[in-house]
Amino acid sequence: GAGVSQSPSNKVTEKGKDVELRCDPISGHTALYWYRQSLGQGLEFLIYFQGNSAPDKSGLPSDRFSAERTGGSVSTLTIQRTQQEDSAVYLCASSSGWTTGGIDEQYFGPGTRLTVT
Amino acid sequence: AQRVTQPEKLLSVFKGAPVELKCNYSYSGSPELFWYVQYSRQRLQLLLRHISRESIKGFTADLNKGETSFHLKKPFAQEEDSAMYYCALYSGGYQKVTFGTGTKLQVIP
């Protein structure tokens, strides 16, 4: 079946503009994660949605970052008033939560490369 | 709070040499641990998980609760093993999975 998809694949924006990044998880997956991957910084957790529970926003770097997940499916990550340090690859992952063998693995999307000029 | 530490940002080894990518975690309960890998221009994907106790692409990892470690090992490195490797920890319930900062493995021909 279809994997996790993200759009756009590349986004170039001017400093100070707002951007929206979209994630389409695997159908039926209850867990959805956003990460940021910067050169030399590895994988940085941003936000986690699990079913109808309140999202874990502990990784959002500032109040310019927000995310929502509509209908338990598609998620949008919004960055307001973008700064050059926001330039990175933004990854989305989804998971079914639990299987008989333990917690399910995360399935990652291809990422959105954001460049702030 | 759960925490995962990968002390090496970059590990360079020669082809055919043994590889050990270090991962230490902080969690007092019974964790589930994973290794994820990202090859060049590919998606991040699961390599192995400690529960399954299997060897994938020649890699193994043993959970050592006494040392709170989950090091990834391979006896003979291959060039195609060059990639970014992330260790991840799940601590139960509705907790998120926590990733380490990653180690870039470079296998020199």
Side-chain angles (χ1 to χ4, degrees):
Chain A
V4 178
S5 62
Q6 293 185 244
S7 60
S9 55
N10 278 285
K11 177 72 177 179
V12 180
T13 190
E14 291 180 354
K15 177 182 171 182
K17 301 276 190 185
D18 297 352
V19 295
E20 283 190 352
L21 312 179
R22 177 187 169 106
C23 172
D24 281 272
I26 292 173
S27 178
H29 278 190
T30 57
L32 188 146
Y33 299 77
W34 281 99
Y35 299 93
R36 182 165 68 177
Q37 192 174 37
S38 309
L39 197 61
Q41 297 297 318
L43 201 62
E44 179 187 2
F45 164 76
L46 296 176
I47 189 167
Y48 162 53
F49 297 89
Q50 173 57 60
N52 295 321
S53 302
D56 178 347
K57 305 179 182 179
S58 59
L60 295 177
S62 77
D63 58 9
R64 295 186 297 104
F65 287 73
S66 63
E68 62 177 24
R69 189 177 184 193
T70 53
S73 181
V74 171
S75 178
T76 303
L77 177 69
T78 302
I79 309 173
Q80 295 178 310
R81 304 181 303 281
T82 52
Q83 303 294 312
Q84 287 186 329
E85 61 262 28
D86 299 334
S87 296
V89 175
Y90 289 81
L91 294 177
C92 174
S94 73
S95 167
S96 67
W98 294 272
T99 69
T100 53
I103 188 168
D104 189 26
E105 68 180 274
Q106 291 186 36
Y107 296 84
F108 283 81
T112 293
R113 182 175 297 278
L114 175 66
T115 304
V116 182
T117 60
Chain B
Q2 57 194 54
R3 188 183 182 94
V4 177
T5 303
Q6 293 180 252
E8 302 139 329
K9 278 196 169 182
L10 173 66
L11 180 65
S12 297
V13 301
F14 285 101
K15 178 182 173 181
V19 175
E20 183 178 67
L21 298 166
K22 293 188 177 352
C23 171
N24 287 89
Y25 66 91
S26 171
Y27 179 62
S28 56
S30 293
E32 286 191 51
L33 284 136
F34 309 79
W35 277 99
Y36 282 78
V37 62
Q38 188 171 29
Y39 301 102
S40 180
R41 288 184 284 278
Q42 291 188 30
R43 299 186 186 203
L44 194 56
Q45 59 188 291
L46 179 70
L47 178 62
L48 57 78
R49 54 195 301 168
H50 90 270
I51 280 181
S52 56
R53 304 180 68 82
E54 54 191 346
S55 172
I56 304 292
K57 300 185 178 184
F59 284 99
T60 59
D62 290 318
L63 177 59
N64 186 322
K65 291 187 177 180
E67 296 183 357
T68 58
S69 69
F70 188 57
H71 303 328
L72 184 68
K73 300 178 183 180
K74 184 170 182 177
F76 308 104
Q78 302 299 313
E79 290 180 62
E80 56 265 29
D81 296 328
S82 295
M84 192 75 177
Y85 291 81
Y86 292 95
C87 182
L89 161 71
Y90 169 68
S91 57
Y94 288 107
Q95 295 295 317
K96 67 182 182 289
V97 174
T98 299
F99 281 80
T101 50
T103 297
K104 182 175 181 179
L105 174 64
Q106 182 180 59
V107 180
I108 304 164

PDB file of all heavy atoms in Angstrom, chain A residues 1-4 26:
ATOM      1  N   GLY A   1       0.821  -1.200   0.000  1.00  0.00           N
ATOM      2  CA  GLY A   1       0.000   0.000   0.000  1.00  0.00           C
ATOM      3  C   GLY A   1       0.849   1.242   0.000  1.00  0.00           C
ATOM      4  O   GLY A   1       2.079   1.165   0.050  1.00  0.00           O
ATOM      5  N   ALA A   2       0.214   2.388  -0.043  1.00  0.00           N
ATOM      6  CA  ALA A   2       0.932   3.655  -0.091  1.00  0.00           C
ATOM      7  C   ALA A   2       1.612   3.904   1.243  1.00  0.00           C
ATOM      8  O   ALA A   2       1.079   3.597   2.302  1.00  0.00           O
ATOM      9  CB  ALA A   2      -0.039   4.778  -0.426  1.00  0.00           C
ATOM     10  N   GLY A   3       2.783   4.487   1.153  1.00  0.00           N
ATOM     11  CA  GLY A   3       3.501   4.841   2.360  1.00  0.00           C
ATOM     12  C   GLY A   3       3.130   6.236   2.806  1.00  0.00           C
ATOM     13  O   GLY A   3       2.151   6.829   2.345  1.00  0.00           O
ATOM     14  N   VAL A   4       3.929   6.796   3.697  1.00  0.00           N
ATOM     15  CA  VAL A   4       3.736   8.152   4.171  1.00  0.00           C
ATOM     16  C   VAL A   4       4.168   9.121   3.067  1.00  0.00           C
ATOM     17  O   VAL A   4       5.238   8.942   2.481  1.00  0.00           O
ATOM     18  CB  VAL A   4       4.557   8.407   5.445  1.00  0.00           C
ATOM     19  CG1 VAL A   4       4.400   9.854   5.907  1.00  0.00           C
ATOM     20  CG2 VAL A   4       4.138   7.443   6.547  1.00  0.00           C
ATOM     21  N   ILE A  26       0.090   6.816   6.756  1.00  0.00           N
ATOM     22  CA  ILE A  26      -0.484   5.566   6.284  1.00  0.00           C
ATOM     23  C   ILE A  26      -1.878   5.435   6.884  1.00  0.00           C
ATOM     24  O   ILE A  26      -2.070   5.697   8.092  1.00  0.00           O
ATOM     25  CB  ILE A  26       0.413   4.379   6.674  1.00  0.00           C
ATOM     26  CG1 ILE A  26       1.727   4.449   5.889  1.00  0.00           C
ATOM     27  CG2 ILE A  26      -0.287   3.053   6.430  1.00  0.00           C
ATOM     28  CD1 ILE A  26       2.772   3.434   6.308  1.00  0.00           C
TER      29      ILE A  26
END
